[in-house]
Amino acid sequence: MTIFRRKITDELQEWKDGRRGYALLIRGARGVGKTAAVKEFVESNYESYILIDFSEPREEVNELFWNMFHIDAFFEKLESIYNVKLVPGHSAIIFDEVQCFLRARECVDHLVEDGRYDFIETGSHLSSCPGLADIRIPGKEHRVTMHPMDFEEFLWALHGNDETVTTEIRNAFLNLRPLGPDLHASIMEDLKKYMLVGGMPQAVAAFIGGAEDGFALAERAKLGILAQFMEDIAKFGDTDEDQAKIESVFKWTPLQLTKRDKTFGASRLAPGACVEDYEESISWLKDAGIIRPCLPSDNPDWMLWQNFGDSSVKCYMADTGLLTTLNYAVSRITMAEDMYLHNDVLEGRLGTDECMLLENVASQMMGQSRCNLLFYKPCDSAGADFMIYKVLKICPVEVRSGTARGFESYGRIRNKYPQHIGKGYMLHTGDLAVRYTVVFLPIYMAMFL
């Protein structure tokens, strides 16, 4: 199995060094690489470890968690079952896919208080899994979210962990200087590959290891991941109606993003429906790490996050590579047609679909460092694709295919709210440029916003 360099390793190390007395809970979508990252970390940082995979039930293991009165016996039996010698202060126990056996999560506080070993939990659907309301949520959990590989991690994987390119991008962003035509063109080619392949490690490994067949092998991997998502919808939806709604939101996400304003149109899914009818479905998909909602604001002041306007919302896919596959899954017939799609993306011939992919990849880059994405939707004029905080100011962000020359709505927003609006950022496919208070950034620099 290919092991990629992941940023979650830094968070694991920070937890190990400074948050003793807490278990670490890593949540994220299926397939983002949680288990692989944790295993690599504990193998390098502990003398021994036990990994309990609750997605493959073992009755003899599960029974131990219902009798926690004799904790010495609990650890002794775990050592016997897994044939591992645990060393106090130097061993870790991993609860993998903990959403499949919530009793284990309920015992975390008791186990952490014992103090002998470190505990790491991984899971998905942790806010919507059945039975959650029946357990006591642990207080001694440090919770982090793991996302698909971001563009920087993808570049590390693509270039053998060479940081030269990512360092050049970061320095250019910090110093607001263009990269130059040759380097910019090379990075844009890599970004197009990223939009096609995405950041799910299984797809990235297939692409890198597949040579000339890399795109086709990555497509197969992504189709398998999408099939797993559909299985989860069938497994975790409370009723047939709930499952149908979740499935509709999931499958129709690409079509919603081809609209001019990208907002979620519930009436497309069911006549007379409104966004509120699908609120729980959207929340379920967000909790599963499959989509990333972007909420509206009609009043961009310093309390932006409280000013949700109407009930409109935009739903982006959490992984752009999966969006590409889902968008064309219905019409895709042969591998040759897959290659036509790949060539269209690489050569910039997608038209409306290119705008969809660029805006989604921007949402993916900016959303991984934020709890919520927001967009500005005024009643009387053009808005902004995104609104972000930077240096105590709110900055409008727009996304354009091609090389942009202006940002018309920024001037109107700044004039209306002069005290609260900072710089404007135009994400486009051209190189970096600065015009007055608007910064024109290559789309790949969205990862630093």
Side-chain angles (χ1 to χ4, degrees):
M1 180 180 178
T2 305
I3 301 297
F4 295 114
R5 178 183 174 187
R6 304 298 303 274
K7 294 179 180 178
I8 194 71
T9 303
D10 295 333
E11 297 193 60
L12 280 157
Q13 191 65 57
E14 182 180 345
W15 161 78
K16 186 178 186 297
D17 292 342
R19 296 194 69 90
R20 290 295 176 92
Y22 284 80
L24 180 66
L25 172 63
I26 303 176
R27 60 187 301 161
R30 285 186 64 176
V32 297
K34 301 183 295 295
T35 305
V38 170
K39 285 182 65 177
E40 183 188 25
F41 179 79
V42 298
E43 286 171 0
S44 302
N45 289 274
Y46 292 90
E47 291 184 21
S48 64
Y49 72 94
I50 290 174
L51 188 150
I52 305 173
D53 183 358
F54 291 112
S55 67
E56 298 180 358
R58 294 182 63 172
E59 186 175 345
E60 59 182 336
V61 174
N62 290 3
E63 284 181 353
L64 297 178
F65 290 89
W66 294 105
N67 184 13
M68 297 295 295
F69 298 107
H70 304 289
I71 199 164
D72 290 340
F74 172 84
F75 289 131
E76 289 171 3
K77 289 177 181 177
L78 275 184
E79 288 178 314
S80 175
I81 292 170
Y82 288 94
N83 194 26
V84 171
K85 177 64 177 175
L86 295 172
V87 182
H90 300 282
S91 293
I93 299 176
I94 304 166
F95 293 169
D96 199 29
E97 302 293 352
V98 72
Q99 79 280 357
C100 296
F101 187 60
L102 291 175
R103 171 61 184 172
R105 188 180 178 196
E106 192 174 28
C107 294
V108 161
D109 281 353
H110 184 50
L111 293 168
V112 167
E113 286 173 1
D114 176 75
R116 273 177 272 187
Y117 311 113
D118 286 349
F119 288 85
I120 304 174
E121 306 164 84
T122 75
S124 56
H125 305 280
L126 286 169
S127 297
S128 56
C129 56
L132 187 66
D134 300 326
I135 72 164
R136 181 177 57 84
I137 302 298
K140 294 185 177 295
E141 277 183 343
H142 176 57
R143 301 175 184 119
V144 298
T145 300
M146 188 172 182
H147 303 280
M149 296 170 70
D150 64 21
F151 185 51
E152 188 171 21
E153 291 172 318
F154 181 79
L155 289 174
W156 292 339
L158 202 60
H159 299 293
N161 287 328
D162 187 343
E163 296 185 13
T164 303
V165 175
T166 55
T167 300
E168 287 282 352
I169 299 171
R170 181 178 284 101
N171 289 339
F173 173 80
L174 293 174
N175 295 295
L176 293 180
R177 61 171 176 77
L179 284 160
D182 292 339
L183 181 55
H184 170 68
S186 174
I187 297 169
M188 283 301 300
E189 287 300 305
D190 286 343
L191 179 68
K192 292 172 183 177
K193 294 173 185 175
Y194 180 63
M195 291 193 297
L196 283 167
V197 175
M200 302 302 264
Q202 186 179 351
V204 176
F207 172 69
I208 292 174
E212 294 181 358
D213 295 328
F215 282 122
L217 294 174
E219 285 302 307
R220 291 177 187 172
K222 289 186 291 175
L223 285 169
I225 293 168
L226 292 173
Q228 290 176 345
F229 288 168
M230 291 299 298
E231 291 173 2
D232 284 348
I233 291 171
K235 183 190 303 181
F236 291 112
D238 289 336
T239 66
D240 290 344
E241 182 181 2
D242 289 338
Q243 294 171 14
K245 282 186 174 182
I246 296 169
E247 184 176 336
S248 295
V249 175
F250 172 54
K251 287 186 173 180
W252 281 75
T253 294
L255 182 61
Q256 305 279 9
L257 292 176
T258 60
K259 293 169 56 182
R260 182 178 177 83
D261 65 0
K262 308 291 191 296
T263 54
F264 177 81
S267 60
R268 288 189 172 195
L269 305 185
C274 60
V275 173
E276 286 80 2
D277 296 328
Y278 289 89
E279 184 177 353
E280 290 186 5
S281 301
I282 293 171
S283 295
W284 189 95
L285 289 164
K286 177 187 177 183
D287 180 55
I290 297 172
I291 68 169
R292 181 172 286 114
C294 184
L295 304 174
S297 171
D298 59 5
N299 182 14
D301 61 16
W302 70 278
M303 292 294 284
L304 176 71
W305 59 276
Q306 289 188 352
N307 290 300
F308 300 146
D310 58 29
S311 58
S312 62
V313 63
K314 297 193 287 188
C315 294
Y316 297 101
M317 287 287 286
D319 183 77
T320 305
L322 292 179
L323 172 65
T324 305
T325 301
L326 184 62
N327 187 40
Y328 296 97
V330 176
S331 58
R332 180 181 292 113
I333 300 175
T334 66
M335 188 177 295
E337 289 176 334
D338 277 343
M339 292 311 301
Y340 283 126
L341 166 63
H342 301 147
N343 290 334
D344 284 345
V345 172
L346 294 173
E347 296 175 20
R349 296 195 302 259
L350 281 181
T352 303
D353 287 350
E354 183 177 20
C355 296
M356 171 187 70
L357 295 178
L358 289 171
E359 190 166 326
N360 197 90
V361 81
S363 77
Q364 183 176 348
M365 291 179 179
M366 292 187 290
Q368 290 190 357
S369 60
R370 292 174 171 83
C371 294
N372 290 309
L373 284 175
L374 300 166
F375 70 99
Y376 177 50
K377 186 182 180 184
C379 300
D380 56 350
S381 62
D385 292 332
F386 303 100
M387 301 289 274
I388 61 173
Y389 284 107
K390 286 188 74 68
V391 198
L392 300 179
K393 293 286 187 177
I394 297 168
C395 301
V397 180
E398 279 282 293
V399 182
R400 292 286 184 272
S401 60
T403 301
R405 301 298 179 187
F407 188 171
E408 294 181 5
S409 62
Y410 169 73
R412 290 193 291 270
I413 298 170
R414 186 178 176 87
N415 289 337
K416 192 171 182 179
Y417 303 98
Q419 293 182 335
H420 304 303
I421 301 301
K423 292 179 180 178
Y425 291 94
M426 175 63 73
L427 301 173
H428 65 161
T429 55
D431 204 345
L432 191 149
V434 180
R435 300 188 181 98
Y436 304 104
T437 54
V438 176
V439 182
F440 293 78
L441 292 177
I443 189 82
Y444 48 80
M445 288 190 183
M447 61 183 169
F448 299 129
L449 284 178

